[in-house]
Amino acid sequence: MQHLPAILANRIADRGPVRVGVIGAGKFGSMFLNQVPFSPHLSVAVIADLDPERARAACRTVGWHDDQISRTRFTDDGMDLIADPAVEVVMEITGSPAAGCAHALAAAQHGKHIIMVNVEADVLAGPVLADAHRSAGTVYSMASGDQPALVCEIVDWARTCGLEIICAGKGTRYQPGFHDVTPDDVWTHYGLSPEQAAAAGMNSQMFNSFLDGTKSAIEMAAIANATGLNAPGNGLKFPAVDFDNLQNTLIPTDAGGTLDGEGFVEVVASEHRGEATEMHNHLRWGVYAVFKAPNQYARDCFLQYGLKTDQSGYYAAMYRPYHLIGLELGVSAANAAIRGEATGTTAEWRGDVVAVAKKDLAAGDMLDGEGGYTAWGKLMPAGASHRSRALPIGLAHGVSLIRPVKHGATITYDDVDTLPDNAARTCRQKLENSADFSI
């Protein structure tokens, strides 16, 4: 069995580089595009963006030469890209649940692998989208470089080694008040002025989703759905933990930790509560998994080989302090096209992300989605979400309330007017109609 670089070299010799189509040339897409000139096994055949000239400008910004830009086709239509026979792997990087669901289904229909950087669409209806690709014989994959795929990698490693996963997740900045932050005041928390952010092309609503807890909830739901781990019963706790103490804190309460049991996802905060300063050895940019030795012999091996463990010696952690986002995305394209493998994929519906009011909302108020002014996304077990008719954050955009909702309350389907008729709604309905949480 050859390792991946050798397989890619053979691919180049036999059929040329892997032919990629990129939908969405924002920050994540630009980071991937930066790597293409240095990755001879990859070529970008088509780039789709609502503003093709902006996409061309992004290519120039990341270092593409004019001749490379001229060899690439640009379009404002993702469906046009998917239908192009020059594309074999689709990168879906729009961040829109509706667009992501439509593109994922179309990619399966056209026999194209898809890398779903669009975690928002995956969490909304991932099992439906993954099933479409399994039926088509194509790969539906998480994006290497993004934290969910990297967590799945550590979880796969631990389980393959015979180690039981106790908890897995990522780090982030967090304070309880962040849940109510809006795009108007988001930049104060990043140390930027609105003018500086605008000059850098930074989207206030997108960056606010990182801060208000929504993105963390979405990514943990994706991990739960891919790995079979559990979503906490009452949302993420965001404990403030440095990477030296993961194995002391993220273990069950009866073992001296903070978890309700074993096999959960959780996000760790990089700051102490009520303080703006980061902890020493924080994991803000990284991912982790806490695991347990299956017997005393393995426990002794942990100690003999220097693993930091809890007091019992049975619990230890493995972590990665950084992730490189789009700079690592080529790994997913290569694995999909060459090996027919996903770098993490949705397997079942275990975690869901529901809309919670950021303030008192009145009948007639319009919900504005992830990172907006009206709601933030809270992680819930999918069964609890389904039973309570909670409105997923992925559908909480462009729909008005028909009755008031109090600050901090979960918004339900019964609180909103008719949802927009699009692929996100259709796929979500299919998921909910097929769900069975009776077992």
Side-chain angles (χ1 to χ4, degrees):
M1 175 67 73
Q2 292 179 310
H3 55 87
L4 188 56
I7 298 172
L8 290 170
N10 291 337
R11 158 65 193 245
I12 294 170
D14 293 343
R15 297 173 51 199
V18 175
R19 303 181 308 279
V20 177
V22 176
I23 307 178
K27 180 61 174 177
F28 204 121
S30 294
M31 293 179 77
F32 169 69
L33 294 171
N34 169 261
Q35 296 302 97
V36 173
F38 312 108
S39 306
H41 53 279
L42 296 173
S43 70
V44 174
V46 188
I47 299 175
D49 194 273
L50 294 175
D51 184 348
E53 286 307 313
R54 182 183 66 175
R56 287 188 178 91
C59 291
R60 295 187 187 96
T61 298
V62 302
W64 281 30
H65 297 300
D66 288 341
D67 61 338
Q68 188 169 13
I69 294 174
S70 67
R71 293 195 303 269
T72 304
R73 188 168 75 84
F74 292 81
T75 177
D76 62 0
D77 186 351
M79 293 299 187
D80 173 43
L81 177 149
I82 292 168
D84 193 317
V87 172
E88 59 180 312
V89 179
V90 177
M91 302 283 195
E92 215 300 343
I93 322 180
T94 66
S96 162
C101 289
H103 290 152
L105 294 177
Q109 292 166 0
H110 284 275
K112 309 291 178 71
H113 307 302
I114 192 164
I115 313 302
M116 287 295 285
V117 182
N118 190 337
V119 193
E120 292 80 4
D122 180 62
V123 166
L124 183 69
V128 173
L129 306 177
D131 283 346
H133 280 269
R134 277 190 285 269
S135 297
T138 50
V139 174
Y140 177 86
S141 177
M142 290 177 170
S144 187
D146 214 2
Q147 287 166 306
L150 299 180
V151 173
C152 289
E153 183 178 34
I154 298 178
V155 169
D156 287 350
W157 164 82
R159 287 173 170 166
T160 304
C161 294
L163 302 170
E164 180 185 1
I165 294 293
I166 305 303
C167 191
K170 68 163 197 171
T172 195
R173 284 192 66 201
Y174 176 79
Q175 296 291 343
F178 287 174
H179 290 309
D180 292 337
V181 174
T182 73
D184 286 343
D185 52 354
V186 63
W187 299 127
T188 61
H189 298 285
Y190 285 97
L192 297 170
S193 69
E195 294 74 22
Q196 289 172 319
M202 300 167 72
N203 181 294
S204 61
Q205 187 157 342
M206 180 188 72
F207 274 81
N208 196 40
S209 74
F210 298 137
L211 194 70
D212 72 8
T214 303
K215 194 71 169 183
S216 289
I218 287 172
E219 292 184 332
M220 292 307 101
I223 293 165
N225 294 340
T227 62
L229 294 172
N230 299 308
N234 192 32
L236 296 168
K237 297 177 182 177
F238 295 94
V241 186
D242 61 25
F243 57 64
D244 287 327
N245 287 289
L246 296 166
Q247 71 284 348
N248 295 318
T249 304
L250 298 170
I251 58 177
T253 54
D254 59 11
T258 61
L259 300 182
D260 294 334
E262 297 183 344
F264 283 89
V265 295
E266 185 57 83
V267 175
V268 297
S270 61
E271 302 173 352
H272 295 290
R273 290 289 193 272
E275 299 179 18
T277 56
E278 291 182 326
M279 295 184 297
H280 183 63
N281 291 342
H282 66 79
L283 203 64
R284 176 179 175 182
W285 308 107
V287 297
Y288 75 90
V290 175
F291 47 86
K292 183 179 181 181
N295 59 18
Q296 172 135 5
Y297 183 85
R299 169 193 176 276
D300 292 345
C301 290
F302 284 2
L303 300 175
Q304 292 159 7
Y305 286 88
L307 270 73
K308 293 177 181 177
T309 68
D310 77 313
Q311 188 173 7
S312 75
Y314 277 91
Y315 296 97
M318 191 66 71
Y319 62 88
R320 176 176 169 171
Y322 304 105
H323 67 297
L324 298 181
I325 317 177
L327 299 183
E328 300 182 59
L329 190 50
V331 175
S332 293
N335 272 286
I338 304 299
R339 291 175 167 167
E341 295 178 355
T343 48
T345 192
T346 297
E348 55 186 318
W349 191 28
R350 298 184 65 85
D352 198 19
V353 182
V354 304
V356 175
K358 286 188 173 182
K359 59 183 179 180
D360 286 344
L361 299 173
D365 284 348
M366 184 71 69
L367 300 179
D368 57 355
E370 177 188 352
Y373 293 85
T374 56
W376 62 277
K378 178 180 178 179
L379 179 64
M380 286 183 68
S385 168
H386 188 56
R387 287 188 293 272
S388 64
R389 292 180 49 78
L391 181 71
I393 192 69
L395 296 182
H397 182 82
V399 60
S400 61
L401 293 171
I402 59 174
R403 61 187 186 186
V405 178
K406 288 290 186 182
H407 176 216
T410 298
I411 303 169
T412 72
Y413 282 110
D414 301 319
D415 297 322
V416 298
D417 204 346
T418 303
L419 296 168
D421 186 11
N422 55 34
R425 177 187 175 187
T426 301
C427 290
R428 177 65 181 213
Q429 286 178 332
K430 185 173 181 178
L431 175 64
E432 293 181 357
N433 290 339
S434 64
D436 183 4
F437 294 104
S438 60
I439 299 175

